[in-house]
Amino acid sequence: MLTTRSVTGLRADGNTRIITLDDGSEIGCKIVLIATGKWFRTLDLPGVDKWNGAGVYYGAAHTEAMYYKDKDVVVLGAANSAAQGMLFLARYARSVTVLIRSEPDWSTYLDSAIRTHERIRLLERCVLREIHGDDVIAEVTIEHTQTGQLERLPAAALFVFIGQRAQTDFAADLLRRTDDGSIMTGLTLLENGKRPAGWQLERDPLPLETCVPGIFAAGDVRNGTRHGVAAAVGDGDAAVSMFWQYLSTI
Ligand SMILES: Cc1cc2nc3c(=O)[nH]c(=O)nc-3n(C[C@H](O)[C@H](O)[C@H](O)COP(=O)(O)OP(=O)(O)OC[C@H]3O[C@@H](n4cnc5c(N)ncnc54)[C@H](O)[C@@H]3O)c2cc1C
């Protein structure tokens, strides 16, 4: 079955697993494989969504960089993805100002390239307070957290790299998850050798199986996975044999 709907809920009823879709309809089945991936953490500023793609970009740099040739851009973030993004943007932009909440957390080889780049300016202990603009963004207000001083900077674009979160809120009440929403599977679910609460099968959870038998997780959404296409495809392939094992136990 191919459906272009979002999943909004997941529950278990006996051996039936039931997913709810965003139009309110439900699908019952024996097995669910969750492969909903991760998505970028978004800014928590009022009204910011109207500038998505109109100056505010999440996790992107390569496709937009040319568009901001000879413009002033701002990068938010301090990990390797932000570092790689700012170095790429600095090939085209007139200036790249980087807002870092505390201190950089990127690799050493990126650090020297960034600190010696004439068009990259690092502002440590700074947070974003406001975005200004009309149809597209034009400026941002930042706060220097040590002094409380506010500063307004030109910004033709804002590139945001503040981490990712697993897209699993639809399963929040049912599955064990980590702080970033990743789904726990397999033996990581055992606590002091004990199986998850409510687990009734006479075996441990299979490597890709969640705390609910018959519900599996694969790819970026799974806690402990090595993020990447190959790992996600490998999980998907491995999951099939686990489906058969599961079916033989119910
Ligand atoms: C910019 C960027 C560059 C990357 N470059 C590389 C690279 O060079 N090499 C590499 O190996 N990996 C790379 N990755 C990582 C790679 O894309 C992921 O590891 C891989 O796509 C994970 O596959 P997945 O199937 O777990 O999740 P995804 O590919 O993220 O697929 C998840 C799907 O689930 C859908 N979905 C989410 N929530 C719901 C819901 N509630 N209902 C229905 N559908 C839902 C999403 O719309 C999406 O289609 C990159 C990622 C990014 C963002």
Side-chain angles (χ1 to χ4, degrees):
M1 183 190 306
L2 174 68
T3 175
T4 54
R5 297 250 165 231
S6 288
V7 172
T8 56
L10 176 62
R11 67 182 201 278
D13 183 1
N15 283 337
T16 305
R17 310 289 170 250
I18 301 157
I19 61 171
T20 309
L21 302 179
D22 59 4
D23 64 353
S25 60
E26 293 188 330
I27 300 173
C29 52
K30 285 186 176 162
I31 293 172
V32 173
L33 175 64
I34 301 173
T36 44
K38 286 193 165 170
W39 192 241
F40 298 98
R41 284 183 200 272
T42 52
L43 288 172
D44 186 18
L45 288 177
V48 69
D49 290 351
K50 70 177 178 222
W51 286 306
N52 283 350
V56 176
Y57 302 98
Y58 292 97
H62 289 220
T63 39
E64 285 76 21
M66 279 292 283
Y67 190 72
Y68 293 100
K69 194 169 189 299
D70 299 329
K71 303 262 175 60
D72 301 306
V73 304
V74 172
V75 168
L76 190 59
N80 279 344
S81 56
Q84 286 160 350
M86 70 186 73
L87 284 167
F88 191 80
L89 288 163
R91 290 191 203 173
Y92 303 96
R94 178 170 53 200
S95 74
V96 180
T97 303
V98 184
L99 309 182
I100 300 168
R101 194 168 45 184
S102 54
E103 292 172 3
D105 189 27
W106 47 62
S107 303
T108 313
Y109 80 98
L110 293 166
D111 193 64
S112 49
I114 288 166
R115 289 185 190 278
T116 54
H117 201 296
E118 59 182 7
R119 287 194 297 284
I120 298 181
R121 180 169 70 132
L122 301 186
L123 294 181
E124 293 182 11
R125 293 181 177 75
C126 274
V127 292
L128 179 72
R129 286 293 177 223
E130 203 175 342
I131 300 173
H132 312 276
D134 295 318
D135 292 341
V136 296
I137 77 165
E139 292 181 309
V140 294
T141 295
I142 64 166
E143 179 184 340
H144 297 269
T145 51
Q146 279 180 319
T147 60
Q149 184 196 351
L150 298 177
E151 185 182 357
R152 209 154 155 153
L153 303 172
L158 173 67
F159 293 87
V160 183
F161 299 87
I162 52 174
Q164 294 188 328
R165 186 171 171 76
Q167 306 192 95
T168 55
D169 287 350
F170 60 86
D173 297 336
L174 186 64
L175 303 183
R176 294 260 306 273
R177 303 186 300 162
T178 60
D179 288 346
D180 76 345
S182 298
I183 297 173
M184 295 173 67
T185 58
L187 297 183
T188 61
L189 290 162
L190 303 190
E191 277 178 23
N192 300 322
K194 283 194 178 164
R195 294 171 183 152
W199 185 271
Q200 289 176 353
L201 300 180
E202 290 301 315
R203 61 162 175 79
D204 291 336
L206 298 167
L208 302 181
E209 200 169 25
T210 69
C211 63
V212 178
I215 300 180
F216 297 80
D220 279 10
V221 81
R222 187 170 67 81
N223 181 49
T225 187
R226 189 191 163 280
H227 296 104
V229 171
V233 172
D235 270 7
D237 181 50
V240 177
S241 64
M242 293 176 212
F243 297 167
W244 291 113
Q245 288 181 65
Y246 168 70
L247 290 173
S248 70
T249 57
I250 59 167

